[in-house]
């Protein structure tokens, strides 16, 4: 299948139009015309090889919403014209204990990322959603509930599941006390989802500039992390903190905010951590945990949850040709929404 997308050919260079071929359909594959693709901070990091290991050309994008155009002979769940979605994975071994548990992201043989992964059959590098078409194994294709706005729901496939999964893992529900550090693409979804779960949610930010936005998302208040007196007043006030900060930082100042047996979950930063202090962990039997997206079943669960509770990400629609400007904004930080690419613009980009 000949198609077109936007790719980078080396680190710290602009993405540009890229013609390539998707693989022929295997019996269990679904071919999808991509309608919308969200822009994740991970895309920027991978394109610039910030985490190492990027092979070029790199064509990112793992928040994909589209329409089925063709199915393989063994496909039973989808048919042509169905609205579907694809998240951060397109394959795994499906045989190990983690895959059987529905935790394909922890596949013992390694899950295949939607981009910059290695195809399990051919060994080719996978290419993501900044393109007109994609071919995905049926088990990794998701159903989009009819009530979700196709133009806005793409970020649920990464920002949504990345925050939903730890909230579920650490049993957040009615009456839980949840803090959310950061009000960007991940943070604003964490607030909306935790509030819909019935939790008491507090946004945590360096300033109160986004307080009104946080309240609109469902937070009951905003804690300014630079205010030492306010931080002391919030000691022992949270059961779970979702930390969405995407850059190297010290998580220690946030630990005293947790109650005994509380957990701070790191979902934003990937890589080397700043030096920290164990004292607040020891004094409250507190924990620091990490969390990586969620399995396919749980990703379908968050799509259904968002449909049920009328939750949609805050998005800004852009044309494909605007991706490099969007990346510059991501570098600057301070975004409280998610960019979504309208793929109908790609033909004239």
């Amino acid at each position: 299948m000949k198609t077109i997308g936007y790719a980078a050919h080396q680190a710290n260079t602009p993405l540009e139009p890229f013609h390539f071929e998707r693989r022929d359909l295997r019996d269990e594959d679904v071919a999808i015309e991509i309608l919308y693709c969200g822009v994740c901070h991970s895309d920027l990091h991978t394109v610039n090889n910030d985490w190492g290991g990027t092979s070029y050309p790199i064509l990112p994008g793992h928040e994909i919403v589209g329409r089925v155009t063709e199915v393989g002979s063994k496909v039973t769940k989808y048919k042509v014209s169905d609205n579907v979605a694809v998240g951060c994975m397109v394959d795994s071994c499906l045989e190990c204990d983690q895959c059987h548990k529905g935790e394909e992201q922890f596949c013992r043989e390694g899950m295949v990322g939607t981009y910059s992964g290695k195809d399990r059959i051919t060994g080719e590098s996978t290419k993501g959603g900044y393109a007109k078409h994609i071919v995905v194994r049926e088990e990794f294709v998701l159903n989009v509930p009819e009530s979700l706005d196709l133009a806005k729901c793409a970020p649920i496939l990464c920002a949504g599941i990345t925050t939903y999964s730890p909230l579920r893992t650490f049993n957040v529900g009615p009456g839980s006390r949840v803090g959310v550090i950061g009000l960007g693409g991940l943070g604003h979804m964490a607030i909306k989802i935790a509030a819909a779960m019935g939790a008491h949610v507090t946004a945590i930010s360096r300033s109160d500039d986004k307080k009104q936005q946080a309240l609109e998302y469902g937070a009951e208040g905003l804690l300014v992390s630079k205010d030492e007196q306010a931080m002391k007043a919030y000691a022992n006030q949270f059961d779970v903190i979702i930390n969405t900060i995407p850059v190297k930082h010290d998580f220690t100042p946030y630990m005293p905010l947790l109650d005994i047996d509380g957990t701070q979950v790191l979902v934003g930063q990937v890589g080397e951590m700043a030096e920290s202090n164990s004292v607040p962990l020891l004094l409250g039997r507190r924990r620091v945990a990490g969390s990586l997206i969620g399995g396919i079943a749980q990703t379908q669960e968050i799509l259904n949850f968002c449909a049920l509770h009328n939750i949609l990400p805050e998005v800004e629609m852009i044309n494909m040709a605007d991706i490099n400007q969007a990346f510059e904004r991501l570098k600057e930080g301070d975004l409280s929404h998610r960019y979504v690419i309208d793929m109908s613009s790609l033909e004239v980009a």
Side-chain angles (χ1 to χ4, degrees):
M1 180 192 299
K2 292 183 178 180
T3 190
I4 183 175
Y6 262 54
H9 292 271
Q10 58 185 14
N12 299 301
T13 60
L15 278 75
E16 57 187 28
F18 180 66
H19 294 269
F20 67 105
E21 291 188 6
R22 293 290 188 186
R23 69 166 189 261
D24 291 335
L25 261 71
R26 300 167 189 151
D27 290 343
E28 65 276 8
D29 282 342
V30 176
I32 301 165
E33 177 190 4
I34 299 174
L35 303 177
Y36 303 99
C37 185
V39 178
C40 177
H41 218 283
S42 301
D43 302 344
L44 174 63
H45 284 305
T46 306
V47 163
N48 288 336
N49 199 28
D50 292 336
W51 300 331
T54 299
S55 59
Y56 297 89
I58 176 72
L59 194 155
H62 57 203
E63 298 179 343
I64 299 166
V65 172
R67 186 169 295 123
V68 176
T69 58
E70 188 179 356
V71 297
S73 61
K74 293 183 180 179
V75 171
T76 59
K77 291 174 59 179
Y78 302 101
K79 64 183 186 304
V80 173
S81 80
D82 282 350
N83 293 326
V84 294
V86 178
C88 301
M89 302 177 284
V90 292
D91 206 352
S92 71
C93 79
L94 295 182
E95 298 294 336
C96 70
D97 60 329
Q98 295 305 304
C99 288
H100 283 303
K101 287 169 58 179
E103 299 271 27
E104 297 91 349
Q105 76 275 26
F106 300 130
C107 174
R108 299 292 185 180
E109 294 188 12
M111 61 91 167
V112 179
T114 304
Y115 64 84
S116 203
K118 184 178 289 188
D119 186 276
R120 289 177 54 81
I121 306 300
T122 66
E124 295 176 282
S125 181
T126 55
K127 296 177 177 61
Y130 291 11
K132 287 294 288 182
H133 305 91
I134 194 167
V135 176
V136 181
R137 184 171 175 167
E138 176 185 24
E139 290 89 344
F140 291 80
V141 178
L142 298 145
N143 174 62
V144 180
E146 289 185 6
S147 63
L148 285 180
D149 185 339
L150 295 180
K152 295 182 178 181
C153 69
I156 296 171
L157 281 304
C158 179
I161 185 59
T162 296
T163 51
Y164 180 76
S165 187
L167 291 170
R168 292 275 282 110
T169 297
F170 294 101
N171 302 310
V172 168
S176 297
R177 300 167 298 168
V178 175
V180 176
I181 306 173
L183 289 170
L186 290 173
H188 89 276
M189 286 300 291
I191 292 172
K192 290 187 176 190
I193 294 167
M197 289 175 165
H200 301 290
V201 186
T202 300
I204 304 172
S205 185
R206 292 169 295 180
S207 72
D208 63 359
D209 293 349
K210 297 179 181 178
K211 181 176 181 179
Q212 187 56 41
Q213 287 176 304
L215 297 177
E216 291 172 359
Y217 299 153
E220 296 179 7
L222 185 144
L223 168 60
V224 177
S225 59
K226 288 186 175 181
D227 185 335
E228 293 184 9
Q229 292 305 313
M231 290 287 281
K232 289 180 181 178
Y234 267 84
N236 307 307
Q237 293 302 300
F238 299 113
D239 304 305
V240 174
I241 293 174
I242 303 297
N243 183 336
T244 74
I245 299 171
V247 296
K248 184 177 179 180
H249 67 285
D250 181 10
F251 58 75
T252 307
Y254 305 104
M255 296 306 297
L257 303 177
L258 291 166
D259 207 347
I260 296 169
D261 287 324
T263 305
Q264 181 178 173
V265 190
L266 309 181
V267 297
Q269 185 188 347
V270 176
E272 182 182 349
M273 295 294 298
E275 186 174 340
S276 59
N277 189 314
S278 67
V279 172
L281 280 77
L282 302 175
L283 293 181
R285 203 163 58 205
R286 303 176 177 105
R287 294 178 293 266
V288 178
S291 186
L292 174 73
I293 57 172
I296 295 300
Q298 196 172 67
T299 306
Q300 186 64 64
E301 188 177 298
I302 182 56
L303 284 166
N304 297 342
F305 181 90
C306 287
L308 177 64
H309 293 277
N310 195 30
I311 295 173
L312 284 170
E314 302 297 315
V315 305
E316 179 181 342
M317 196 66 63
I318 63 172
N319 292 332
M320 187 71 257
D322 298 328
I323 186 59
N324 293 306
Q325 293 94 315
F327 270 16
E328 288 301 316
R329 286 286 311 281
L330 281 181
K331 287 181 185 178
E332 295 169 5
D334 208 34
L335 282 180
S336 57
H337 61 268
R338 205 73 152 181
Y339 286 119
V340 172
I341 306 165
D342 180 352
M343 282 303 162
S344 67
S345 67
L346 183 55
E347 295 173 333
V348 295

